[in-house]
Amino acid sequence: LDLIVLPVAEAFAPDLVIAAAGFDAAAGDPLGGMELTPGGYAAMTRRLMSLAGGKLVLALEGGYNTEVTSKCFAACVAAMLDNQPQPRASGVPRGLRLRK
């Protein structure tokens, strides 16, 4: 996100960002095989809010564990309601756990 998506999006300078909010990569999802936490999704949401003056639409579209999906989406909505965009950072975003 920080190395490719945000620099390209910033150069494009969108008026609105629409993101497919799928939670297949969440820890506990039976299909994704990844370990992204609700905090990791919130961090990505805050980064996306740095585009288009914070005008961001999240379209819920995936995740196969309803409990995990609801927690992740709630974290994203909380990040949007907090309205504090997070600038790009170096390293691994807080909330992102790399699988061993």
Side-chain angles (χ1 to χ4, degrees):
L1 186 66
D2 288 342
L3 298 177
I4 296 173
V5 174
L6 286 178
V8 171
E10 288 166 353
F12 182 73
D15 294 323
L16 173 70
V17 175
I18 301 172
F23 298 100
D24 307 42
D29 186 272
L31 297 180
M34 304 297 287
E35 297 289 325
L36 195 58
T37 65
Y41 279 105
M44 288 191 292
T45 299
R46 285 190 291 277
R47 282 181 173 75
L48 289 174
M49 288 174 59
S50 69
L51 302 167
K55 291 179 271 186
L56 173 64
V57 174
L58 296 179
L60 184 58
E61 59 84 20
Y64 301 93
N65 177 325
T66 55
E67 183 177 336
V68 169
T69 298
S70 64
K71 288 179 182 177
C72 291
F73 197 67
C76 292
V77 170
M80 292 173 75
L81 291 173
D82 186 38
N83 201 23
Q84 298 295 319
Q86 183 174 338
R88 279 189 279 146
S90 60
V92 176
R94 203 172 13 171
L96 181 64
R97 294 182 300 175
L98 301 177
R99 186 176 251 185
K100 294 180 183 176

